[in-house]
Amino acid sequence: MITLKPLSGCVAHYDPNALPVEAAQEIVRQWALPLAQDGRVERVSLFDALDRVLAEDVISPIDVPAFDNSAMDGYAFSGAALASARETVELNVAGVAFAGQPFTAQPTDGQCVRIMTGALMPPGCDTVIQQELVTREGDSIRFAAAAVRSGQNRRLSGEDLARGKPALRAGRIVRASDLGLLASLGIAEVAVKKRVVVAFFSTGDELRSVGEPLTPGSLYDSNRYTLFAMLRRLGVETVDLGIVRDDRASLESALRRATEAADVVISSGGVSVGDADFTRELMNSLGDVAFWKIAMRPGRPLAFGRLWSGERAGAGKPALFFGLPGNPVAVMATFYFIVREALLAMSGATQQTLTTIRARSDEPLKKRSGRTEFQRGIATRDDAGLWRVVTTGPQGSGVLSSMSEANCFIVLEHDRADVDAGDEVNIVPFDGLI
Ligand code: AMP
Ligand code: MG
């Protein structure tokens, strides 16, 4: 007998056979807490810090830029010259300042210094007139006094990052700009949080691994590859436990091994009704079940709970468990909308909101109220700059090519019914820039 042992009071308000996506996300949020970092923090070099989560605030050890410098190629001078000038300013060029080759003498009144972008501002100079605005004859220049304001075209020391101030906060996922920023501070190593370890496997007697011949009725296991890729992109550590047969003993041993090895266990297949489904039963004996059905499509059968590596619930080491559906598209939709946030939270990253864009649907969409649907869309911008979207065609949850063809999910909210052509919908693009 399968019984529901709710992990949280939240689930009690809903039909566990049709939990709204938002409610499921809220329950997962309550359980997916940042991993304790005791002894888990690592120090890594910059190149290895990419996509890792900072364990500590990074305090800037220097001012960036470290000195006042020119933002333009032009001529540096004291802005006081502007106040005393009439319409035209005339100055004599006393020398040249290059980036990395400063001009160290102080120009006298009536003098300026030819200066290149990034060069140290010469002593007594606080203003730069860009070269295009100047007429040069021999060693003297002329320009309109109104062409520049005192203090203009100078980058101030510390204007990018001030010494002693936090440059990046703990919980930040280190991206391309952050690596450059850390390097600009002269920092060679940073403290990062230990990665979340995720063990994953596929279930199904019909599954074959790539490299094996297909027999009648069998198919290749694609979910493990999709999962591997999605997990790697999130920066977690992966443990691949392969294909597990549809029998209680195999599944139980896989779940135990996975729970022992990982912080999170993800399986695909074997959670739907009618299948040789031991997953839910096992979850009840190895741990607690929070829910096993979500009002979403694709992805309705989805088990979430906590497993223990010991002989019974509460014994040994715990791991969160996501029993994803077997259908390949459902695996991806449930991963991105249910699992992703949990893994990021456990990794200690600050919240990473998915980008949602309003788009006009160029076709009518069939949608049943009472569940959230994630259809595969192809979004484009029209000549007026507006986003428009169409589906990839048939939306079967086994059609993995629809994911490859699509560039976004079309998210149709729980209460929404059919969409007319021309109606606005929310889309979540697959690609982020950085
Ligand atoms: P299940 O949830 O186990 O009933 O699986 C639902 C459907 O997804 C079935 O048609 C399975 O053959 C298919 N499926 C399950 N696991 C995989 C997998 N790892 N790779 C590709 N298809 C799968
Ligand atoms: Mg199966």
Side-chain angles (χ1 to χ4, degrees):
M1 235 290 273
I2 295 162
T3 55
L4 178 69
K5 291 187 280 176
L7 281 176
S8 88
C10 184
V11 78
H13 306 302
Y14 297 101
D15 174 3
N17 284 320
L19 198 61
V21 168
E22 289 76 22
Q25 288 167 331
E26 186 51 42
I27 292 170
V28 172
R29 216 167 275 144
Q30 286 171 26
W31 282 87
L33 302 176
L35 296 178
Q37 288 294 317
D38 24 285
R40 294 170 67 108
V41 167
E42 287 174 60
R43 295 199 72 83
V44 294
S45 69
L46 280 198
F47 286 138
D48 292 330
L50 184 64
D51 294 337
R52 300 294 300 267
V53 180
L54 288 180
E56 298 161 2
D57 289 352
V58 174
I59 307 297
S60 180
I62 55 170
D63 283 326
V64 178
F67 50 88
D68 291 3
N69 67 86
S70 177
M72 294 283 178
D73 288 344
Y75 296 85
F77 60 98
S78 163
L82 295 170
S84 53
R86 298 213 182 108
E87 276 174 24
T88 307
V89 182
E90 284 195 41
L91 299 169
N92 280 318
V93 182
V96 190
F98 294 99
Q101 285 178 45
F103 180 84
T104 47
Q106 173 148 354
T108 56
D109 280 355
Q111 284 190 325
C112 66
V113 175
R114 170 94 176 106
I115 195 163
M116 306 304 164
T117 305
L120 176 80
M121 290 295 282
C125 298
D126 58 9
T127 307
V128 174
I129 174 92
Q130 64 205 82
Q131 61 189 20
E132 292 80 3
L133 301 178
V134 160
T135 310
R136 179 161 178 168
E137 271 162 27
D139 271 349
S140 66
I141 59 164
R142 262 184 302 122
F143 57 91
V148 65
R149 276 175 288 107
S150 180
Q152 224 179 342
N153 300 324
R154 172 184 53 159
R155 299 180 187 139
L156 291 174
S157 140
E159 87 176 15
D160 189 353
L161 298 164
R163 179 206 300 250
K165 293 265 168 60
L168 294 172
R169 295 286 189 178
R172 169 103 190 163
I173 300 179
V174 179
R175 303 296 192 203
S177 55
D178 306 321
L179 271 199
L181 192 145
L182 289 164
S184 78
L185 298 176
I187 291 174
E189 265 191 354
V190 283
V192 294
K193 300 188 184 196
K194 266 290 274 210
R195 285 196 178 97
V196 175
V197 180
V198 182
F200 63 106
F201 58 87
S202 298
T203 68
D205 287 338
E206 76 282 26
L207 301 178
R208 297 290 175 271
S209 288
V210 289
E212 289 174 7
L214 281 186
T215 48
S218 64
L219 63 133
Y220 286 118
D221 170 15
S222 60
N223 288 344
R224 229 155 22 93
Y225 291 84
T226 321
L227 273 172
F228 165 83
M230 295 189 295
L231 290 166
R232 278 297 171 93
R233 278 288 171 88
L234 274 192
V236 300
E237 203 173 307
T238 52
V239 181
D240 178 1
L241 294 179
I243 297 173
V244 173
R245 296 294 154 214
D246 274 327
D247 65 75
R248 195 188 154 103
S250 307
L251 191 56
E252 176 163 0
S253 115
L255 286 173
R256 278 193 198 286
R257 268 184 300 140
T259 306
E260 191 61 58
D263 304 305
V264 177
V265 179
I266 301 179
S267 69
S268 75
V271 282
S272 56
V273 204
D275 203 350
D277 291 343
F278 316 105
T279 314
R280 292 199 311 254
E281 218 181 299
L282 273 170
M283 277 177 78
N284 273 304
S285 69
L286 300 179
D288 329 86
V289 184
F291 57 79
W292 61 70
K293 270 186 194 156
I294 302 188
M296 80 180 258
R297 185 184 145 106
R300 184 164 127 89
L302 191 157
F304 171 65
R306 185 177 50 185
L307 303 175
W308 294 85
S309 61
E311 283 309 306
R312 60 194 154 72
K317 176 195 152 300
L320 285 191
F321 174 66
F322 294 90
L324 307 187
N327 276 310
V329 180
V331 166
M332 297 194 79
T334 50
F335 184 89
Y336 284 121
F337 292 96
I338 304 290
V339 183
R340 173 186 169 277
E341 189 186 320
L343 296 181
L344 287 169
M346 291 176 80
S347 71
T350 43
Q351 209 189 338
Q352 312 286 311
T353 322
L354 289 172
T355 304
T356 300
I357 296 172
R358 297 292 283 169
R360 182 164 302 163
S361 179
D362 274 343
E363 61 187 6
L365 304 173
K366 277 252 160 275
K367 161 71 170 68
R368 211 182 70 197
S369 168
R371 67 184 184 201
T372 308
E373 292 193 15
F374 299 89
Q375 303 202 359
R376 274 71 72 207
I378 301 172
T380 46
R381 280 180 83 203
D382 66 16
D383 292 342
L386 295 173
W387 283 100
R388 329 200 52 133
V389 69
V390 292
T391 65
T392 52
Q395 295 292 306
S397 58
V399 188
L400 193 52
S401 60
S402 71
M403 283 296 296
S404 289
E405 215 184 308
N407 63 5
C408 64
F409 280 112
I410 305 171
V411 182
L412 301 174
E413 297 76 12
H414 190 86
D415 293 328
R416 193 155 185 173
D418 287 346
V419 173
D420 290 330
D423 283 356
E424 285 207 332
V425 292
N426 283 325
I427 60 172
V428 175
F430 288 173
D431 276 325
L433 178 62
I434 293 183

mmCIF file of all heavy atoms in Angstrom, residues 113-147:
data_model
loop_
_atom_site.group_PDB
_atom_site.id
_atom_site.type_symbol
_atom_site.label_atom_id
_atom_site.label_comp_id
_atom_site.label_asym_id
_atom_site.label_seq_id
_atom_site.Cartn_x
_atom_site.Cartn_y
_atom_site.Cartn_z
ATOM 1 N N VAL A 113 49.527 68.210 -22.230
ATOM 2 C CA VAL A 113 50.307 67.009 -22.544
ATOM 3 C C VAL A 113 49.493 66.154 -23.512
ATOM 4 O O VAL A 113 48.312 65.887 -23.273
ATOM 5 C CB VAL A 113 50.613 66.204 -21.253
ATOM 6 C CG1 VAL A 113 51.320 64.895 -21.596
ATOM 7 C CG2 VAL A 113 51.451 67.027 -20.281
ATOM 8 N N ARG A 114 50.133 65.774 -24.602
ATOM 9 C CA ARG A 114 49.484 64.822 -25.524
ATOM 10 C C ARG A 114 49.302 63.527 -24.732
ATOM 11 O O ARG A 114 50.251 63.043 -24.095
ATOM 12 C CB ARG A 114 50.432 64.606 -26.713
ATOM 13 C CG ARG A 114 50.021 63.483 -27.637
ATOM 14 C CD ARG A 114 49.203 64.029 -28.788
ATOM 15 N NE ARG A 114 48.860 63.003 -29.742
ATOM 16 C CZ ARG A 114 47.632 62.474 -29.853
ATOM 17 N NH1 ARG A 114 46.644 62.881 -29.059
ATOM 18 N NH2 ARG A 114 47.394 61.560 -30.774
ATOM 19 N N ILE A 115 48.067 62.973 -24.747
ATOM 20 C CA ILE A 115 47.826 61.799 -23.887
ATOM 21 C C ILE A 115 47.033 60.732 -24.622
ATOM 22 O O ILE A 115 46.175 61.048 -25.461
ATOM 23 C CB ILE A 115 47.115 62.219 -22.564
ATOM 24 C CG1 ILE A 115 47.180 61.091 -21.514
ATOM 25 C CG2 ILE A 115 45.654 62.624 -22.814
ATOM 26 C CD1 ILE A 115 46.884 61.572 -20.097
ATOM 27 N N MET A 116 47.333 59.466 -24.348
ATOM 28 C CA MET A 116 46.628 58.337 -24.961
ATOM 29 C C MET A 116 45.688 57.706 -23.936
ATOM 30 O O MET A 116 45.923 57.801 -22.734
ATOM 31 C CB MET A 116 47.630 57.265 -25.433
ATOM 32 C CG MET A 116 48.720 57.788 -26.342
ATOM 33 S SD MET A 116 48.047 58.627 -27.793
ATOM 34 C CE MET A 116 49.491 59.505 -28.354
ATOM 35 N N THR A 117 44.670 57.032 -24.451
ATOM 36 C CA THR A 117 43.689 56.372 -23.579
ATOM 37 C C THR A 117 44.387 55.449 -22.587
ATOM 38 O O THR A 117 45.247 54.663 -22.985
ATOM 39 C CB THR A 117 42.701 55.551 -24.434
ATOM 40 O OG1 THR A 117 42.133 56.412 -25.404
ATOM 41 C CG2 THR A 117 41.600 54.936 -23.588
ATOM 42 N N GLY A 118 44.021 55.574 -21.319
ATOM 43 C CA GLY A 118 44.575 54.676 -20.301
ATOM 44 C C GLY A 118 45.860 55.190 -19.681
ATOM 45 O O GLY A 118 46.331 54.640 -18.693
ATOM 46 N N ALA A 119 46.443 56.283 -20.249
ATOM 47 C CA ALA A 119 47.693 56.812 -19.678
ATOM 48 C C ALA A 119 47.395 57.549 -18.371
ATOM 49 O O ALA A 119 46.336 58.164 -18.218
ATOM 50 C CB ALA A 119 48.364 57.744 -20.670
ATOM 51 N N LEU A 120 48.345 57.471 -17.450
ATOM 52 C CA LEU A 120 48.253 58.183 -16.169
ATOM 53 C C LEU A 120 48.095 59.678 -16.429
ATOM 54 O O LEU A 120 48.801 60.231 -17.278
ATOM 55 C CB LEU A 120 49.545 57.916 -15.391
ATOM 56 C CG LEU A 120 49.740 58.628 -14.052
ATOM 57 C CD1 LEU A 120 48.958 57.904 -12.968
ATOM 58 C CD2 LEU A 120 51.225 58.663 -13.685
ATOM 59 N N MET A 121 47.153 60.323 -15.715
ATOM 60 C CA MET A 121 47.005 61.775 -15.866
ATOM 61 C C MET A 121 48.276 62.438 -15.335
ATOM 62 O O MET A 121 48.703 62.167 -14.213
ATOM 63 C CB MET A 121 45.791 62.268 -15.067
ATOM 64 C CG MET A 121 44.440 61.837 -15.627
ATOM 65 S SD MET A 121 44.031 62.528 -17.252
ATOM 66 C CE MET A 121 43.526 64.188 -16.799
ATOM 67 N N PRO A 122 48.895 63.324 -16.116
ATOM 68 C CA PRO A 122 50.116 63.987 -15.644
ATOM 69 C C PRO A 122 49.799 64.865 -14.429
ATOM 70 O O PRO A 122 48.649 65.276 -14.237
ATOM 71 C CB PRO A 122 50.531 64.851 -16.837
ATOM 72 C CG PRO A 122 49.828 64.260 -18.012
ATOM 73 C CD PRO A 122 48.545 63.712 -17.485
ATOM 74 N N PRO A 123 50.795 65.159 -13.595
ATOM 75 C CA PRO A 123 50.556 65.967 -12.402
ATOM 76 C C PRO A 123 49.901 67.296 -12.779
ATOM 77 O O PRO A 123 50.275 67.899 -13.787
ATOM 78 C CB PRO A 123 51.965 66.205 -11.833
ATOM 79 C CG PRO A 123 52.868 65.251 -12.526
ATOM 80 C CD PRO A 123 52.199 64.785 -13.772
ATOM 81 N N GLY A 124 48.916 67.716 -11.986
ATOM 82 C CA GLY A 124 48.272 69.013 -12.208
ATOM 83 C C GLY A 124 47.195 68.979 -13.288
ATOM 84 O O GLY A 124 46.473 69.956 -13.473
ATOM 85 N N CYS A 125 47.062 67.884 -14.002
ATOM 86 C CA CYS A 125 46.054 67.801 -15.077
ATOM 87 C C CYS A 125 44.814 67.044 -14.585
ATOM 88 O O CYS A 125 44.933 66.023 -13.923
ATOM 89 C CB CYS A 125 46.618 67.066 -16.295
ATOM 90 S SG CYS A 125 48.014 67.909 -17.028
ATOM 91 N N ASP A 126 43.625 67.559 -14.904
ATOM 92 C CA ASP A 126 42.395 66.873 -14.486
ATOM 93 C C ASP A 126 41.383 66.771 -15.629
ATOM 94 O O ASP A 126 40.271 66.273 -15.448
ATOM 95 C CB ASP A 126 41.762 67.611 -13.293
ATOM 96 C CG ASP A 126 41.441 69.061 -13.614
ATOM 97 O OD1 ASP A 126 41.551 69.455 -14.799
ATOM 98 O OD2 ASP A 126 41.094 69.808 -12.680
ATOM 99 N N THR A 127 41.756 67.261 -16.813
ATOM 100 C CA THR A 127 40.798 67.332 -17.924
ATOM 101 C C THR A 127 41.490 66.870 -19.206
ATOM 102 O O THR A 127 42.679 67.111 -19.378
ATOM 103 C CB THR A 127 40.323 68.802 -18.112
ATOM 104 O OG1 THR A 127 39.851 69.279 -16.840
ATOM 105 C CG2 THR A 127 39.219 68.911 -19.149
ATOM 106 N N VAL A 128 40.699 66.210 -20.079
ATOM 107 C CA VAL A 128 41.251 65.798 -21.373
ATOM 108 C C VAL A 128 40.307 66.279 -22.477
ATOM 109 O O VAL A 128 39.094 66.089 -22.378
ATOM 110 C CB VAL A 128 41.419 64.262 -21.459
ATOM 111 C CG1 VAL A 128 41.854 63.836 -22.865
ATOM 112 C CG2 VAL A 128 42.421 63.771 -20.421
ATOM 113 N N ILE A 129 40.882 66.942 -23.471
ATOM 114 C CA ILE A 129 40.099 67.286 -24.664
ATOM 115 C C ILE A 129 40.443 66.262 -25.726
ATOM 116 O O ILE A 129 41.616 65.940 -25.945
ATOM 117 C CB ILE A 129 40.392 68.734 -25.163
ATOM 118 C CG1 ILE A 129 39.672 69.024 -26.497
ATOM 119 C CG2 ILE A 129 41.881 68.992 -25.342
ATOM 120 C CD1 ILE A 129 38.321 69.629 -26.330
ATOM 121 N N GLN A 130 39.398 65.699 -26.360
ATOM 122 C CA GLN A 130 39.704 64.634 -27.312
ATOM 123 C C GLN A 130 40.313 65.210 -28.578
ATOM 124 O O GLN A 130 40.026 66.350 -28.956
ATOM 125 C CB GLN A 130 38.472 63.769 -27.585
ATOM 126 C CG GLN A 130 37.329 64.465 -28.254
ATOM 127 C CD GLN A 130 36.018 63.764 -27.918
ATOM 128 O OE1 GLN A 130 35.433 63.978 -26.864
ATOM 129 N NE2 GLN A 130 35.559 62.929 -28.845
ATOM 130 N N GLN A 131 41.171 64.419 -29.204
ATOM 131 C CA GLN A 131 41.997 64.948 -30.298
ATOM 132 C C GLN A 131 41.175 65.461 -31.474
ATOM 133 O O GLN A 131 41.553 66.424 -32.121
ATOM 134 C CB GLN A 131 43.024 63.911 -30.748
ATOM 135 C CG GLN A 131 42.418 62.632 -31.281
ATOM 136 C CD GLN A 131 43.478 61.539 -31.501
ATOM 137 O OE1 GLN A 131 44.566 61.597 -30.924
ATOM 138 N NE2 GLN A 131 43.151 60.582 -32.339
ATOM 139 N N GLU A 132 39.994 64.877 -31.699
ATOM 140 C CA GLU A 132 39.159 65.287 -32.840
ATOM 141 C C GLU A 132 38.658 66.727 -32.702
ATOM 142 O O GLU A 132 38.235 67.343 -33.678
ATOM 143 C CB GLU A 132 37.946 64.361 -32.983
ATOM 144 C CG GLU A 132 38.258 62.943 -33.402
ATOM 145 C CD GLU A 132 38.731 62.064 -32.254
ATOM 146 O OE1 GLU A 132 38.769 62.536 -31.087
ATOM 147 O OE2 GLU A 132 39.103 60.908 -32.520
ATOM 148 N N LEU A 133 38.651 67.254 -31.469
ATOM 149 C CA LEU A 133 38.080 68.587 -31.250
ATOM 150 C C LEU A 133 39.153 69.676 -31.232
ATOM 151 O O LEU A 133 38.883 70.825 -30.893
ATOM 152 C CB LEU A 133 37.305 68.613 -29.921
ATOM 153 C CG LEU A 133 36.147 67.611 -29.825
ATOM 154 C CD1 LEU A 133 35.472 67.686 -28.466
ATOM 155 C CD2 LEU A 133 35.133 67.857 -30.938
ATOM 156 N N VAL A 134 40.369 69.306 -31.605
ATOM 157 C CA VAL A 134 41.518 70.194 -31.467
ATOM 158 C C VAL A 134 42.127 70.501 -32.832
ATOM 159 O O VAL A 134 42.161 69.652 -33.705
ATOM 160 C CB VAL A 134 42.557 69.480 -30.557
ATOM 161 C CG1 VAL A 134 43.937 70.060 -30.731
ATOM 162 C CG2 VAL A 134 42.108 69.523 -29.113
ATOM 163 N N THR A 135 42.601 71.746 -33.016
ATOM 164 C CA THR A 135 43.415 72.064 -34.193
ATOM 165 C C THR A 135 44.860 72.157 -33.712
ATOM 166 O O THR A 135 45.151 72.887 -32.764
ATOM 167 C CB THR A 135 43.016 73.428 -34.780
ATOM 168 O OG1 THR A 135 41.606 73.446 -34.925
ATOM 169 C CG2 THR A 135 43.687 73.663 -36.113
ATOM 170 N N ARG A 136 45.710 71.381 -34.341
ATOM 171 C CA ARG A 136 47.103 71.388 -33.903
ATOM 172 C C ARG A 136 47.980 72.021 -34.972
ATOM 173 O O ARG A 136 47.868 71.684 -36.151
ATOM 174 C CB ARG A 136 47.569 69.965 -33.611
ATOM 175 C CG ARG A 136 49.027 69.932 -33.170
ATOM 176 C CD ARG A 136 49.410 68.680 -32.441
ATOM 177 N NE ARG A 136 50.833 68.733 -32.095
ATOM 178 C CZ ARG A 136 51.430 67.905 -31.265
ATOM 179 N NH1 ARG A 136 50.739 66.941 -30.676
ATOM 180 N NH2 ARG A 136 52.715 68.025 -31.010
ATOM 181 N N GLU A 137 48.825 72.930 -34.534
ATOM 182 C CA GLU A 137 49.827 73.523 -35.430
ATOM 183 C C GLU A 137 51.153 73.439 -34.733
ATOM 184 O O GLU A 137 51.344 74.082 -33.692
ATOM 185 C CB GLU A 137 49.481 74.969 -35.754
ATOM 186 C CG GLU A 137 48.578 75.114 -36.975
ATOM 187 C CD GLU A 137 47.899 76.472 -37.028
ATOM 188 O OE1 GLU A 137 48.474 77.446 -36.484
ATOM 189 O OE2 GLU A 137 46.790 76.549 -37.573
ATOM 190 N N GLY A 138 52.068 72.659 -35.257
ATOM 191 C CA GLY A 138 53.371 72.489 -34.614
ATOM 192 C C GLY A 138 53.180 71.979 -33.209
ATOM 193 O O GLY A 138 52.525 70.960 -33.002
ATOM 194 N N ASP A 139 53.698 72.723 -32.209
ATOM 195 C CA ASP A 139 53.604 72.287 -30.817
ATOM 196 C C ASP A 139 52.482 72.976 -30.065
ATOM 197 O O ASP A 139 52.441 72.941 -28.842
ATOM 198 C CB ASP A 139 54.937 72.539 -30.103
ATOM 199 C CG ASP A 139 55.857 71.330 -30.246
ATOM 200 O OD1 ASP A 139 55.354 70.276 -30.712
ATOM 201 O OD2 ASP A 139 57.047 71.459 -29.920
ATOM 202 N N SER A 140 51.575 73.637 -30.793
ATOM 203 C CA SER A 140 50.472 74.272 -30.063
ATOM 204 C C SER A 140 49.122 73.760 -30.562
ATOM 205 O O SER A 140 48.993 73.321 -31.712
ATOM 206 C CB SER A 140 50.565 75.801 -30.171
ATOM 207 O OG SER A 140 50.349 76.164 -31.502
ATOM 208 N N ILE A 141 48.142 73.804 -29.653
ATOM 209 C CA ILE A 141 46.786 73.363 -30.011
ATOM 210 C C ILE A 141 45.798 74.483 -29.695
ATOM 211 O O ILE A 141 46.047 75.332 -28.827
ATOM 212 C CB ILE A 141 46.371 72.088 -29.245
ATOM 213 C CG1 ILE A 141 46.407 72.309 -27.724
ATOM 214 C CG2 ILE A 141 47.216 70.901 -29.647
ATOM 215 C CD1 ILE A 141 45.670 71.247 -26.926
ATOM 216 N N ARG A 142 44.684 74.438 -30.422
ATOM 217 C CA ARG A 142 43.589 75.382 -30.197
ATOM 218 C C ARG A 142 42.284 74.603 -30.171
ATOM 219 O O ARG A 142 42.128 73.651 -30.935
ATOM 220 C CB ARG A 142 43.510 76.383 -31.352
ATOM 221 C CG ARG A 142 44.175 77.707 -31.084
ATOM 222 C CD ARG A 142 43.970 78.667 -32.241
ATOM 223 N NE ARG A 142 44.486 78.137 -33.510
ATOM 224 C CZ ARG A 142 43.732 77.967 -34.595
ATOM 225 N NH1 ARG A 142 42.442 78.264 -34.592
ATOM 226 N NH2 ARG A 142 44.258 77.502 -35.718
ATOM 227 N N PHE A 143 41.380 74.972 -29.266
ATOM 228 C CA PHE A 143 40.037 74.369 -29.287
ATOM 229 C C PHE A 143 39.042 75.314 -28.642
ATOM 230 O O PHE A 143 39.421 76.235 -27.892
ATOM 231 C CB PHE A 143 40.023 73.005 -28.586
ATOM 232 C CG PHE A 143 40.504 73.019 -27.154
ATOM 233 C CD1 PHE A 143 39.599 73.211 -26.098
ATOM 234 C CD2 PHE A 143 41.847 72.825 -26.848
ATOM 235 C CE1 PHE A 143 40.032 73.211 -24.791
ATOM 236 C CE2 PHE A 143 42.285 72.827 -25.528
ATOM 237 C CZ PHE A 143 41.387 73.023 -24.494
ATOM 238 N N ALA A 144 37.759 75.092 -28.926
ATOM 239 C CA ALA A 144 36.716 75.957 -28.359
ATOM 240 C C ALA A 144 36.564 75.645 -26.872
ATOM 241 O O ALA A 144 36.493 74.465 -26.492
ATOM 242 C CB ALA A 144 35.400 75.708 -29.081
ATOM 243 N N ALA A 145 36.525 76.666 -26.029
ATOM 244 C CA ALA A 145 36.430 76.469 -24.579
ATOM 245 C C ALA A 145 35.158 75.704 -24.220
ATOM 246 O O ALA A 145 35.116 74.953 -23.237
ATOM 247 C CB ALA A 145 36.457 77.814 -23.860
ATOM 248 N N ALA A 146 34.119 75.875 -25.050
ATOM 249 C CA ALA A 146 32.843 75.214 -24.756
ATOM 250 C C ALA A 146 32.860 73.725 -25.113
ATOM 251 O O ALA A 146 31.921 72.990 -24.802
ATOM 252 C CB ALA A 146 31.725 75.910 -25.533
ATOM 253 N N ALA A 147 33.958 73.260 -25.756
ATOM 254 C CA ALA A 147 33.992 71.873 -26.245
ATOM 255 C C ALA A 147 34.217 70.860 -25.125
ATOM 256 O O ALA A 147 33.994 69.662 -25.309
ATOM 257 C CB ALA A 147 35.071 71.719 -27.311
#
